[in-house]
Structure formats: C-alpha cells, structure tokens
Amino acid sequence: MKPLRLPTIQTLRTALTAATGRTGASSAELYVKAGCSLRIDAAPWRTGAASPPASEDWRLHVGRVEERGWALRAGGPGRALFLAESGALPAPGGWRRLNRHSLRAGSLRLPTPHRRRSSLPGLAGKDVPNDDSEAFGRQLIRDVLERTRAELPGSCLIRARIDDGASASILANSAGVTGRTRLRLVTVRLDFAVERDGIRGSCSLYRAAGDPSGFDAAAMATEIADRLTLATAATTPSLPAREIAVAPALASSLLALLGPLFRGRDGWNTLQRLTSGHSLGPPDLQIRDDGAVEAGWIRTPTDDEGVPTRAVALIRDGEPGEPLLTWEDDGWSGFSAAGCRRRSGWRSPPEVSHSHLYIQPGTDSADAIRSGIRHGCYLLDRAPGGRCRATLGVSDNRREAGFEIDATGFVVERDRILGAIPRTRLTGSIRELFRGIRAVGDDLRFLPVPGAVGAPTLLLTGLQLEPVAHD
Amino acid sequence: MDTTVTARRPNELLASDVGTLTDALARLAVHPDQHTEAFFERLETVELLPRGASTRLRLRREQGLSVRRLEAGASRLASADAISGHTFASCCDRVTGTAGSIGPAPKIQVSRWLPVRMAEIERAERQLGKAVSRRRVGFPMEVTVRRHRRQVQVVHGRVSAPSQFEEYFSLRLKTPWGLWGGLLPSLAAEDLDPVAGCLVDRLRSRHLPEHPDTPRILVLGPCAAAVMLHEVVAHTLEADTLALTGAPDSVVGLKLGGVHLDVIDDPRLAPDGCGRFSDDEGMTVIARWLLRRGRVRQPLADLAWAGRCQRLIPGAARRANRHLLPGPRTMHLELLPTDLPEAELFQEAAGGLYIAEFESGTLDPFDGGCVLRAPCARRIGASGPADFVGPVEIRSRTVDLLAAVTAVGDRPLAAGAGWCAKDGSLLPVWARSPSVRLEGLV
C-alpha cells in the first residue's frame, strides 16, 4: 500500500483562514486523517452439520482499504459548527459553500498552545501494511489453528479476522496549536468451537499488537484451548469465593468498567465518595493513564486536539491521585490537564477518553499468586455473551456503586485444579473491589476491551461468586 | 399519513455514463465464473445535539467507492474515500494486483448533493415534548436527532442496478432514568407519538426492581415481537450465521415453530423512504419467506453464499459501508397476522407479563442462545396489562422461543425499527408485526 500522505501545517492554516473568513467564526480547527488497512476474514466452508471442514477449504475475504477525511470545527461564543467530509481537504476556493448562516447555536472553545511538551519526543517511524502482511496474517491463522487442534483435538475454527491498519493525522487550530500522530495497530479476532462429551462450547479471543510480529501463535492457541476446555466442562457444585485470582484478561475488563470513575470532575467526586475517609485500596495499587506508555499501541505525543499527553497517576499508593482532566478543566482543584480527547475517526469530534488505562504491575509473580490460593477460584476471562456492567452511583445515589461480570475459570487449591467453572457471576461493590485487592502480579498485559486497557493478575477477596446456569 | 421524508428523490448517484464502468469491470474478470462489481456510496448525516452541547449541529458527508472480485466464494475488495476515475482505476489495480488493469481511468461524474434541510430536525424536540405533555406528564430530557441519507449504486461487469436512496431518522433521548434510542422513518407526529408512549412507560417503571424470573405466559407487543423475530428468525437464518454450525441450506424445510408463524423479509416493503429494490450487490430483492407455516423456506443469502449453496437465492446482501464486504442481512421483517383478535392474546393470561418493547437483543450464533432485555413490563391482570414491573431479561434458545409462540394477533404495526450491530456493522432494520403470545418458557 502507498505511504500515507497528509497536507502540511501551512496548507491547514491557509484553509483555516478561508473557513473563518467565510463563516465569521472567531476560532476554528482543522483535522485531517488518512489511513490504510488490510483486512483478512477467513472461515471454513461447511458442507454438512457433523463434518468438520477440510483444512484447505476456506472462505477467504481480503480487503484493502484506503480512508481519508477531514473535520472542521468553527465558531465562537454563541455559534458553532462541526463539519466532516471524506476525501482530500478542499482547496482555498472550495470553502465557498460555507457562509455566516452555516454556524448554529452552540459555543466553541479550542485549546491554546501549551508550554509543557509531551514525554514522547517524536513520531515513531511506522510503516503501512503491504503484500507481506497478507501472507503473514494468513500464516498466523493457520499456525493458531494447527496448534489449537494439537492442544485440543476436535476444536475447529469458526471465524478469524485480522485487521492490520496504519493511520496518520495532522491538525491545526486558529490559536496556533498543531499536532501530528502516526499509528500502526493490528487486531486479531478468533472464534473457535469444540464438542466434547456431548457438550458444545465456543470461545472468542480478541488481541491487539503494534505490528503483526507482536502475536505469539503458541500462546494464543493455549489460551483458546483453555477457554474451550472450560466452555465444555461440567459445572463444579461449590464456588469458594474467599480468595479469587483474576487473570489479566478479566482484570482488564474489570478496570474498563471502572473507567468513568477516573475521568473528569464527576468521576473524581464519585471516587472521593467511595473513599469516605478510608484508603481506597492497598498501598501497592497504582492505576495510571498514559498516552505515551512504552508498551502501548496507541502512543502519541498529543491527543486529537493537539494537547500533549502525559502519565496521569489516577490511583497512587492506593489513594485517589488525580483525575483525567481536559484542558478546559486545567487547574480544577489544583490538578493539571492532560491530553485526553480522542477521535474514533475523522468523522467524530474529540471526546474524553482514556488512552492506555492500566494497573501498574506489582512485585508478586503471577505464578506465586495462583499457587498461593489455599481454596478459591482462578478466573480466566469473561464468559462469552455474559453480563459485564457497573453502576457507579452517579445518577442514583441511593444504591452503592457495584459491579457484576460473568466469568469463566477454575476452582483451585494451592497448585491443584479441583474443577472447572464454565460460567459464574462475580459481583460486589466497587468499594469492596478496591479494598479487597490482596496482591498485584507482575504480568501486565494490554487488551483491546475496547481501547487499550491493561492489568496484571490480581488476588481479590471480599467479593461474591454466584452460579449462572448455561442458557 | 403525514410524512417528513424528502419529497424529491435525488438523481442517480453516477451522473456519467456507467457503460464505461461496466466495460472496465468486464476486463477484470479472467474466468467466466468470476464476478466483479463496483459499489458507489454517498452518506450524509445531520445531527442536532441537545441544547447546551458545545456544538449543536454536526454535519457529516462522505462518498467513496469499492471494487470487489468474487470467485468461488472468496472475495478481494479495494475501497477508497472518493469517487473519481482515478480512485476507480486504483481500486481495480489493488483488487487484481496489477498496475493499469483497466487501461486509462474512465471519467466519472457524480450528481449534486441534496440540500440540507434543518426545519424538521429542529422541530422534532418540540413535537416530542408536546406528545409527552399530552399524556399529562413532564420530565427533563435531552434530545439528539439525526437524519441519515444514503445513496448507493452498484455496477456489475454485465449490468448496472439503479441507484438506491434511503432516508430515515434516529433519536437518542436521555432522561434522568436512562437512555432511549431508536429509528424512525420520519419525524411526523404519528411517528413521534409512540416514542412518547415508551418514555412514559419508562417513567412509570423507574426504580422498580428487576423482575426475577421468566413468567409462564408472555405477551409481546408489536415492537417487542419484532425484536424477538429479528434475533431468532432473521439472524438465525442468515447464511453466514447458519454456516457457523453447519451447512446453510441444510435447514430448509426444518420446522422451527407453529403453523401460525409466517415470516417474510421484503426490503421493498420497508417504510417510505427506506425501501430498497436492489441489494448492496446490485441484485434484485425478493419477498423471501423465511418461515412458511413455521418451517424454514429460504434463508437470507448473498452472492457468495448462493454461489456455494445451490438452494440459496441471492438478493439479501447488505454492507454498513463501502469499506466492508457485503453479507447476508435482513432489512425489513414482517410477521403475517392471523385472524385472532388482539384481546384474546390476554385471555387466561393473568399473572403473565406484557412487554411492549425490548431495548436490546443478542443471539449467540454458536449455541442459539438468545438474550432479550426489556426496560420494563406490565403484569397482566384479569382485563389486560395492569401494574408496571422493572426490567425483564429473557434468556432462552432460538428453538425454545419460537416453539413457545402459541398465538399471533390480527393487527400488524410498523414496529421494532432499530440498529442491528452484527459483527460491528451498524445497519438500520425495519419490521412490521402484530402482538404475539408465548407460553411455557423456562
């Protein structure tokens, strides 16, 4: 695929002058994004309900996508407009369709240049998907399939999807703020199924990496085999909830549920109510959001408004640290802003969002946490199609903030697996969840759940496990 | 009936001669069994956010094209965010993997955009407020109104289908006790009035605890019945869903429900402004009997599936946008009425629940498990729906849900329109259904 080309800052400034001149807007911002991606969809053809498909008989779809678009935000006090269009940025004469009536009720404020620089010095040299990417993707699917079949005979691939994309963006506003990003992200989604002892089970695995070589077919096959084994296992009658270890996949889902607690003034106030004079969690609990974290996939020097990103200590030593604040709230309660407005594409205006939200790894090894459980559960991941929700008490103060998430895992005693848990519901209050963290593992993993959310293995106490019947 | 749908239909999307494009595409097919097509798309979304939002008006306009080559069920697609001879030629090159695959780039011209009309969108909030007031209640709500316009044109290697145009509206309403979202064919008073009814039902059931179990008897109103049928009939009978667990055409003739279940998918019958005569592969759509007297008659299929399974008929391909491949999807589902008066659905149903709408539904394609969530329901008394109860979640299997339908009412209504998000592709879906009665769900 061709390298991604973007207009220069000077071109954007010329266009801004034309747009503000036509509309009479006192401020304006232009954002241009270009991207290209390769999508591989593979699934076996099926010729009969009982027979597994021959390994070579695949339904293969390959898409090569080139996307390009821009967005203009223009306005001032009392009037504003958001306009997004596909294709190249119009030439200076192409703004004639805008006029003073194009602005409608609203109010637009834009960031001004920031003295602080991003902790990420420059843009990494990211390439774009090419012909090798397609061969690499097809080989990855084949490898995972063969290894999974070797680990769990009878398992079959239902569907595989690889999205390998690169994007670049540039923005400038009338106050002089500029920003550039360049990203490469590859996601893999694999659906497998198996039938064992008359029980059909399935699982989905969704993983992301900064480039195609970031995937380990053997590790993915093991994860799939574990999940399929659980999905087709008989339910264990007792669910000891005294000690519950949660693997990074489930811990990330839990952290994603808590995301709103760490954003803005409302989140901060809710978090303060949860602490009510006590510690929120153990002293070794650190939760951060960092747009430039080394291990992340979407590391950028600025956010999608051109505000520099930085590491924000949301929970520091078990206590609320600082909230994730936009530039508009800079200085609120003495806290500094961070670049935290992201666009899901050129069609969307920037919205407050985490970049890399994660629990910092602790000193305990994940193996030690698992083997240290005297009699409890080790929960691997969310149960497919199960519940995953939290009530954070923002709109309804009468109820305590709580959560429930359907999970799958094992009953364990020391290093021994006593039984399987195809599906259970982990519930509790948010307060108990934080206070019940007994150990933080050293195996931080980022997962797309969605967004980049990361967590290591956690040991939890004080929560409840409820049986959930198979549908 | 009053309507606010665009009275003037737009011109064909491609203003230039499509003959040059069909010739160019014909050059791409190396074998006679290869199918090539070009898909041209134009989308416009006008969004008016609630008062107090920093930018109330958001206007998005996009157009682009994709070229696809299909052979033995495998596809290669290339897409771009512009419509021009150069991008068309570039996509052809990327699909074939050769430079200059169609020779010189053809000239492509597109028609003009329709004018942006704002009056109906700006009126909607006030009209909805009036519809709520007529029910003698009042509460704060934040209203987001969107108008969606989509025009597509498909050019085959042999023939070009006429341009298809859809215009519809979506509403997102935020109240102190939750969100309501849905699709409307227009913003006329007749279409907004049922929305007010849903909001008032939710007001009356706010803070009520979740209903603990599935009752013995359920009566689903037209909206709820349409959502259930969308999940358990339409999604289940999409060829790609069927292929997850077996051969798609092996289900033809299978009995899924009682003889009163006649379900048709016919995109031509979608509400005014939303109907289609050809699908997103340029194939003519048909009135497709999904279930005929409770038996599977014709699953939903696109060209790829129809090429693989001889018993399947194409014409049900849809794609969320030009960058995605088409797949078999429902568009307008219709459950045919019986002659059973609506009131008889409530006979000897005391203690059961009446559910007017489901807010979401999901289908597990692997095991047929279906989850339907209603924000509220009403307990059925001696004379019909009575007290409100809190949220209800129904977890069952496709076959059990369809087997539980024991009666179908006689008054079909356009109902249950919403966004279908299968595989992350957001598509509008429409339906027409009478009320139904379910018994014996566990």
Side-chain angles (χ1 to χ4, degrees):
Chain A
M1 286 183 173
K2 286 181 280 186
L4 301 170
R5 290 215 183 118
L6 290 172
T8 62
I9 291 286
Q10 188 52 46
T11 309
L12 262 62
R13 285 190 174 136
T14 308
L16 278 174
T17 306
T20 49
R22 296 283 312 165
T23 57
S26 55
S27 56
E29 174 203 72
L30 262 171
Y31 173 85
V32 182
K33 188 171 185 180
C36 62
S37 57
L38 169 78
R39 167 173 280 198
I40 303 172
D41 259 307
W45 287 109
R46 289 174 181 275
T47 49
S51 62
S55 60
E56 298 308 314
D57 193 14
W58 286 44
R59 187 160 43 100
L60 189 73
H61 302 299
V62 179
R64 288 167 181 269
V65 173
E66 285 183 5
E67 293 183 79
R68 177 174 288 272
W70 54 269
L72 168 76
R73 287 196 294 162
R79 296 177 80 72
L81 166 74
F82 174 85
L83 171 66
E85 289 197 9
S86 61
L89 196 64
W95 298 97
R96 282 198 198 102
R97 62 208 150 112
L98 292 181
N99 56 42
R100 283 168 198 277
H101 301 292
S102 303
L103 303 186
R104 297 295 176 116
S107 170
L108 180 70
R109 286 179 62 209
L110 294 171
T112 51
H114 207 283
R115 267 175 292 174
R116 183 174 54 77
R117 302 291 296 270
S118 166
S119 57
L120 193 65
L123 295 169
K126 303 277 186 178
D127 52 356
V128 297
N130 53 30
D131 289 340
D132 293 342
S133 308
E134 184 180 332
F136 192 92
R138 292 167 75 154
Q139 187 58 44
L140 178 69
I141 295 170
R142 216 169 287 134
D143 282 352
V144 176
L145 176 58
E146 281 169 13
R147 287 169 190 269
T148 307
R149 278 180 177 162
E151 288 217 20
L152 189 67
S155 54
C156 58
L157 175 71
I158 297 293
R159 189 168 47 198
R161 174 175 289 174
I162 296 182
D163 277 298
D164 182 354
S167 70
S169 71
I170 186 166
L171 77 88
N173 77 19
S174 52
V177 172
T178 60
R180 288 185 180 84
T181 63
R182 196 169 278 270
L183 294 171
R184 176 89 185 262
L185 181 66
V186 190
T187 60
V188 176
R189 187 192 159 101
L190 299 160
D191 295 322
F192 272 79
V194 73
E195 186 166 346
R196 295 194 317 151
D197 304 328
I199 303 176
R200 278 186 63 86
S202 62
C203 79
S204 284
L205 201 72
Y206 185 46
R207 296 289 179 261
D211 66 78
S213 62
F215 296 102
D216 180 350
M220 289 167 85
T222 304
E223 286 192 78
I224 292 165
D226 284 349
R227 282 156 179 73
L228 288 177
T229 306
L230 283 170
T232 51
T235 308
T236 308
S238 74
L239 292 168
R242 204 178 152 95
E243 290 177 298
I244 302 166
V246 294
L250 186 62
S252 300
S253 297
L254 277 171
L255 182 60
L257 275 181
L258 306 181
L261 284 178
F262 307 123
R263 288 198 290 262
R265 301 177 186 208
D266 287 346
W268 179 257
N269 291 334
T270 310
L271 206 57
Q272 291 298 317
R273 279 202 296 275
L274 286 175
T275 53
S276 58
H278 301 282
S279 285
L280 188 66
D284 56 345
L285 178 65
Q286 322 283 346
I287 301 180
R288 293 163 76 93
D289 185 82
D290 189 351
V293 69
E294 181 71 35
W297 322 300
I298 47 177
R299 52 197 308 250
T300 55
T302 62
D303 71 353
D304 289 333
E305 277 190 316
V307 179
T309 54
R310 68 178 178 91
V312 181
L314 304 165
I315 301 289
R316 190 186 293 125
D317 304 331
E319 303 287 351
E322 55 178 322
L324 193 62
L325 291 180
T326 64
W327 60 271
E328 286 162 304
D329 286 332
D330 192 25
W332 178 75
S333 292
F335 297 119
S336 298
C340 61
R341 281 219 173 105
R342 305 258 164 196
R343 304 180 197 235
S344 54
W346 56 265
R347 297 172 186 84
S348 312
E351 306 277 1
V352 179
S353 162
H354 292 286
S355 45
H356 303 99
L357 172 66
Y358 66 102
I359 299 175
Q360 238 179 332
T363 50
D364 298 310
S365 86
D367 284 342
I369 291 176
R370 282 190 294 265
S371 58
I373 298 174
R374 276 166 294 184
H375 186 217
C377 294
Y378 175 51
L379 301 182
L380 270 185
D381 205 347
R382 284 181 57 189
R387 280 192 193 172
C388 179
R389 64 191 186 194
T391 46
L392 299 179
V394 176
S395 61
D396 183 1
N397 293 329
R398 291 176 304 171
R399 273 187 294 176
E400 186 170 12
F403 75 96
E404 53 184 11
I405 189 165
D406 288 359
T408 180
F410 303 97
V411 177
V412 292
E413 189 178 78
R414 296 289 179 193
D415 262 341
R416 271 191 325 132
I417 292 176
L418 297 184
I421 312 170
R423 185 185 289 260
T424 182
R425 187 160 295 158
L426 179 65
T427 63
S429 72
I430 304 290
R431 205 188 301 258
E432 288 164 344
L433 174 64
F434 279 121
R435 286 207 191 129
I437 297 174
R438 289 287 169 268
V440 180
D442 60 355
D443 53 341
L444 169 66
R445 279 184 71 186
F446 280 97
L447 294 168
V449 286
V453 181
T457 298
L458 301 176
L459 180 63
L460 307 173
T461 57
L463 300 176
Q464 293 80 50
L465 284 177
E466 296 167 7
V468 182
H470 265 299
D471 292 328
Chain B
M1 189 166 141
D2 189 20
T3 179
T4 61
V5 173
T6 300
R8 188 169 73 81
R9 311 294 286 185
N11 295 326
E12 291 285 293
L13 177 56
L14 298 177
S16 51
D17 177 20
V18 295
T20 56
L21 304 179
T22 52
D23 290 349
L25 289 171
R27 286 198 283 277
L28 292 184
V30 180
H31 309 294
D33 53 350
Q34 277 181 341
H35 166 89
T36 52
E37 91 217 344
F39 175 79
F40 298 85
E41 179 185 52
R42 173 179 277 178
L43 301 169
E44 183 195 86
T45 310
V46 180
E47 181 178 15
L48 192 67
L49 275 82
R51 289 169 212 282
S54 62
T55 311
R56 283 198 74 197
L57 176 64
R58 292 177 183 174
L59 174 61
R60 297 177 182 88
R61 281 177 157 181
E62 56 182 291
Q63 56 186 19
L65 65 93
S66 65
V67 174
R68 180 179 69 142
R69 186 158 76 175
L70 178 69
E71 184 179 12
S75 302
R76 292 193 84 84
L77 173 139
S79 61
D81 273 348
I83 299 180
S84 70
H86 171 71
T87 51
F88 175 72
S90 161
C91 286
C92 290
D93 290 353
R94 277 187 279 144
V95 161
T96 54
T98 54
S101 57
I102 57 164
K107 274 189 184 166
I108 299 180
Q109 283 183 320
V110 289
S111 59
R112 296 168 72 90
W113 292 86
L114 281 177
V116 178
R117 286 178 292 109
M118 288 298 299
E120 62 193 333
I121 298 174
E122 286 167 338
R123 262 199 320 264
E125 182 175 354
R126 199 171 58 247
Q127 286 188 317
L128 186 63
K130 277 185 189 170
V132 170
S133 301
R134 276 199 295 275
R135 289 166 167 80
R136 298 181 186 282
V137 291
F139 45 83
M141 59 179 167
E142 294 178 0
V143 183
T144 301
V145 190
R146 293 190 189 96
R147 185 186 60 221
H148 309 262
R149 284 175 176 165
R150 181 173 189 248
Q151 192 174 10
V152 302
Q153 190 160 1
V154 183
V155 179
H156 286 285
R158 299 182 293 274
V159 70
S160 161
S163 171
Q164 301 286 302
F165 177 72
E166 296 162 60
E167 181 180 281
Y168 53 92
F169 299 82
S170 63
L171 280 184
R172 184 178 182 274
L173 308 168
K174 189 177 174 190
T175 63
W177 45 89
L179 288 171
W180 184 92
L183 294 188
L184 300 175
S186 87
L187 294 176
E190 292 89 339
D191 289 308
L192 288 171
D193 198 60
V195 178
C198 292
L199 292 175
V200 173
D201 280 359
R202 291 192 184 197
L203 166 76
R204 290 184 174 141
S205 61
R206 69 192 188 282
H207 304 322
L208 288 176
E210 190 162 332
H211 195 267
D213 47 26
T214 307
R216 192 178 54 84
I217 296 176
L218 274 174
V219 177
L220 305 183
C223 283
V227 173
M228 183 193 80
L229 291 171
H230 175 80
E231 297 300 333
V232 303
V233 177
H235 276 322
T236 302
L237 296 181
E238 286 163 354
D240 55 345
T241 307
L242 290 167
L244 297 175
T245 48
D249 49 357
S250 64
V251 297
V252 175
L254 197 69
K255 188 168 172 57
L256 285 184
V259 291
H260 41 265
L261 279 177
D262 285 321
V263 185
I264 297 174
D265 180 75
D266 191 348
R268 295 170 302 182
L269 300 182
D272 243 9
C274 313
R276 294 281 300 266
F277 289 88
S278 62
D279 69 356
D280 286 343
E281 291 179 326
M283 306 302 291
T284 304
V285 300
I286 55 169
R288 191 181 297 259
W289 286 91
L290 298 177
L291 293 184
R292 180 85 174 101
R293 297 179 65 78
R295 286 187 190 276
V296 178
R297 176 67 75 88
Q298 188 53 247
L300 292 152
D302 58 2
L303 275 171
W305 282 107
R308 191 76 185 192
C309 307
Q310 298 302 315
R311 295 168 78 183
L312 301 185
I313 303 170
R318 299 184 75 192
R319 41 183 143 195
N321 60 56
R322 58 202 168 276
H323 301 304
L324 298 175
L325 284 159
R329 297 285 181 277
T330 176
M331 182 167 181
H332 178 259
L333 206 61
E334 192 155 339
L335 172 64
L336 300 191
T338 64
D339 50 8
L340 184 75
E342 200 91 0
E344 287 189 22
L345 296 175
F346 295 97
Q347 276 185 5
E348 294 175 27
L353 285 185
Y354 171 74
I355 297 178
E357 55 159 350
F358 287 118
E359 61 185 350
S360 69
T362 53
L363 173 76
D364 185 331
F366 302 112
D367 65 3
C370 182
V371 184
L372 298 162
R373 293 189 186 88
C376 59
R378 293 176 78 175
R379 207 178 302 282
I380 299 173
S383 57
D387 309 333
F388 279 92
V389 300
V392 181
E393 185 176 276
I394 295 171
R395 299 179 83 91
S396 188
R397 287 176 192 276
T398 299
V399 285
D400 297 335
L401 274 166
L402 286 175
V405 178
T406 53
V408 176
D410 64 346
R411 279 191 300 159
L413 292 175
W419 294 108
C420 168
K422 183 180 171 185
D423 285 343
S425 295
L426 216 56
L427 289 166
V429 286
W430 310 94
R432 186 173 176 82
S433 170
S435 299
V436 298
R437 173 171 164 138
L438 285 80
E439 290 179 62
L441 275 180
V442 285

